Amino acid sequence: MRSAVALPGLLLLLLCQEGGFPRLKRRDLILFAAFGLVNGALYNIFYFTAVELVGVTVAVILLYTAPALATLLARFIFKEQLSWGKAVAVVLSLGGCFLVARGYDVTVLRLNLMGITAGIMSGICYACFGLFAKKARERFSAVTTVFYCTLIGLLLLTIIRPPLGLAPLVRTGSFWGSALGLGLWGTLVPWVSYSIGVAQVEASRAAVVASVEPVVGVALAVTLLGERIQPGQIVGMILVLTAVMCAQSESLVSKEVSGTNE
């Protein structure tokens, strides 16, 4: 549903921005096929499976191994420099996400091998998003990049799990409210924004900055849902924000050095 709801919005943006469908070469089709398989289909399957089997807390902790994984992958694929500042930012983001998700509270942890495996795989898929997007952004806009990823992912998911079970639900207003929120605000906006950002900075740095997501989630839960926040979560939020500032400050220093050298 998140892909099906996001796709019409992406199509409208694509037609308005590009005036039609960009011409794809064979290498582009291969790239988008891999992108759609990993991030349009497998990511959703693994993440929601992890949520179902081990709960949201563990799933989020495992998902946010992504900054570390993205840093390592970017080092080998894009030859991005693995500096001390970036390493510190990754460690801070991992530790912060662990605390924000209350990983220290054993009462909220439900562990099983299949769920943990699914969570780790979702982190790997999430880490790959920035890498695929960065490669695609060398030739295509952010909207085009996300459109083809979502389209291929939707086709694959429809084959894997035909959405016949949704028929009784589409008649209820509450279902469409959730579906629109997940498809537009939870898919279209963040994925396009991430694709825009990853073209401006290193993929590893973008992954660290994006780890602010669980911090925002906790803040919204406190503000809108009246949930209570624990001291450990506050410490985690501070660590994540510190990691983001470390990643950003190092990026600015790198640009200044580069500009001076030029």
Side-chain angles (χ1 to χ4, degrees):
M1 280 304 302
R2 69 181 300 186
S3 300
V5 171
L7 196 63
L10 288 167
L11 176 60
L12 181 61
L13 289 174
L14 180 67
L15 294 177
C16 292
Q17 179 177 298
E18 305 287 346
F21 295 96
R23 203 169 198 178
L24 300 181
K25 298 180 179 180
R26 183 178 178 180
R27 64 180 182 182
D28 301 325
L29 292 173
I30 295 174
L31 173 63
F32 284 125
F35 196 5
L37 172 64
V38 174
N39 291 103
L42 294 181
Y43 166 74
N44 287 297
I45 292 172
F46 286 131
Y47 181 65
F48 287 119
T49 297
V51 168
E52 181 180 3
L53 295 179
V54 297
V56 174
T57 296
V58 178
V60 168
I61 292 171
L62 295 174
L63 176 65
Y64 279 95
T65 57
L69 296 171
T71 299
L72 293 175
L73 291 172
R75 175 70 181 87
F76 293 105
I77 296 174
F78 294 114
K79 309 301 180 184
E80 292 184 4
Q81 182 181 2
L82 185 58
S83 64
W84 278 106
K86 193 181 297 182
V88 169
V90 168
V91 172
L92 288 175
S93 69
L94 285 173
C97 290
F98 178 83
L99 293 175
V100 170
R102 293 172 58 199
Y104 53 83
D105 188 350
V106 294
T107 62
V108 300
L109 301 182
R110 291 161 40 212
L111 302 180
N112 65 67
L113 181 59
M114 185 177 292
I116 292 173
T117 302
I120 293 173
M121 292 304 297
S122 71
I124 293 173
C125 291
Y126 188 28
C128 289
F129 182 92
L131 305 179
F132 279 124
K134 193 171 187 68
K135 188 66 178 176
R137 286 302 314 277
E138 293 176 359
R139 285 177 37 79
F140 301 100
S141 68
V143 172
T144 300
T145 297
V146 178
F147 173 79
Y148 281 111
C149 170
T150 305
L151 173 63
I152 294 172
L154 176 61
L155 294 175
L156 292 173
L157 286 170
T158 302
I159 295 172
I160 295 171
R161 183 67 182 270
L164 299 177
L166 294 175
L169 300 175
V170 297
R171 302 171 186 172
T172 62
S174 59
F175 170 80
W176 281 108
S178 299
L180 287 171
L182 184 61
L184 299 180
W185 191 246
T187 304
L188 188 154
V189 173
W191 283 20
V192 171
S193 300
Y194 195 11
S195 297
I196 292 173
V198 81
Q200 310 299 320
V201 298
E202 293 176 323
S204 53
R205 222 169 248 120
V208 172
V209 175
S211 64
V212 75
E213 178 183 345
V215 175
V216 176
V218 170
L220 290 175
V222 172
T223 304
L224 302 180
L225 303 179
E227 294 187 4
R228 299 180 65 180
I229 187 170
Q230 298 185 0
Q233 291 177 295
I234 296 175
V235 173
M237 294 168 73
I238 294 172
L239 289 178
V240 171
L241 294 175
T242 302
V244 171
M245 287 188 289
C246 285
Q248 286 296 91
S249 61
E250 189 185 41
S251 176
L252 292 173
V253 170
S254 299
K255 288 181 179 178
E256 288 177 2
V257 172
S258 176
T260 302
N261 291 336
E262 289 177 2

